[in-house]
Amino acid sequence: MEKSAAESFKMFDLRPFAMLSHFGLKNPIFLETAAYGHVGREPFTKKVKFYTNGNVNGAQAYEKEVEFFGMEKLDYDG
């Protein structure tokens, strides 16, 4: 087990900052979904600013229209 863990650490950078940067977790898309869960929420779209390196400091921004809670449409029975 120790050998496979060591190999994993070589393949993946698991430091917090590295994970935040790799997955873009500081981008504002997560603010809408961070509270009150997702079950039963109404789907909506919104223009959101994204930053190339995940934060506003020295990053180039671009806007994109994002659909939030789109999976809720699959549960709609109407």
Side-chain angles (χ1 to χ4, degrees), residues 23-35 44 46-51 54 64-69:
F23 294 110
L25 297 176
K26 292 286 188 171
N27 273 309
I29 185 174
F30 298 105
L31 291 176
E32 299 289 339
T33 60
F44 65 94
K46 179 179 176 181
K47 280 196 175 197
V48 178
K49 257 187 197 175
F50 284 88
Y51 302 95
K64 184 176 182 180
E65 192 160 305
V66 176
E67 181 177 21
F68 293 93
F69 307 107

Side-chain angles (χ1 to χ4, degrees), residues 38-43 67 69-78:
H38 69 281
V39 178
R41 303 271 307 261
E42 290 293 321
E67 181 177 21
F69 307 107
M71 293 297 289
E72 294 298 316
K73 292 179 182 179
L74 298 176
D75 295 333
Y76 182 70
D77 187 27

